[in-house]
Amino acid sequence: MKSFNLVLSLLLTVSLCLCLAASIDAAEDVMRKFKHEPTIKEVQKAAIRYAEVQPEKINSWRKKAAVKALLPEINLDYDKTIYGSVSSTTGKSVFATGPYDWGINLKWDLADVIWDSSQTSIDVRSRLMVKLRNTILEKVNRLYFERRKLQIELLRDSSLAPDKKLNKQLRVEELTAHIDGLTGEYFSRELKKACCN
């Protein structure tokens, strides 16, 4: 009896593994149909680039603020000198115009080397930028995967009524337009490239 149960358990395990392998293969076949479309990572990068909320932008601001503290404030002057005197013999005022003179003035604020007041502004902008970036990524993720689910439904459910199928196709187009709006038309451009190649 024990050997029968062992064989039965082994057969059930093998059949379950075969079913799982078949369903994994079927899922991979469905996902291959979208191989020509941009990945979620590519779409996220395009959205971040389009919204100009890259982390590198904040780092660049911080570096520029640090360099700014080392540079002096420069003032240039270009003036003419006017001389005046009162004649001791006649008592009249005599004025003379001298040559044009150049002047340069350099000024450093050494406190900026330790703490530049623009850092506070950069910190505030950084927090706002991170919040905006997260909001954009959240939207892109939601739209991208809602679109993908609809595409899979359209592929797998051949029994859909024509009006329901049309509604789902329109929704896919609507989601594509939303993604394009967040990526500066990147998504549709990449889809067209894939179709033309």
Side-chain angles (χ1 to χ4, degrees), residues 78-84 95-102:
Y78 183 64
D79 250 340
K80 66 178 173 179
T81 307
I82 299 176
Y83 302 98
F95 293 98
T97 303
Y100 284 94
D101 295 324
W102 284 93

Side-chain angles (χ1 to χ4, degrees), residues 115-174:
W115 176 254
D116 186 1
S117 60
S118 63
Q119 290 293 342
T120 304
S121 173
I122 292 170
D123 291 344
V124 169
R125 289 179 184 178
S126 174
R127 281 190 292 278
L128 291 172
M129 195 177 276
V130 167
K131 190 175 180 179
L132 178 59
R133 183 173 49 245
N134 288 341
T135 300
I136 289 169
L137 290 176
E138 217 174 89
K139 276 186 182 179
V140 166
N141 290 343
R142 185 182 50 75
L143 294 167
Y144 183 90
F145 288 109
E146 184 182 342
R147 181 180 181 277
R148 181 57 45 87
K149 286 175 190 172
L150 280 171
Q151 288 174 305
I152 291 170
E153 285 176 27
L154 285 166
L155 271 176
R156 299 193 85 197
D157 194 356
S158 58
S159 65
L160 274 176
D163 60 330
K164 286 188 179 186
K165 187 173 184 174
L166 180 62
N167 283 337
K168 286 185 185 231
Q169 287 170 332
L170 285 173
R171 182 68 179 144
V172 167
E173 286 183 31
E174 180 185 358

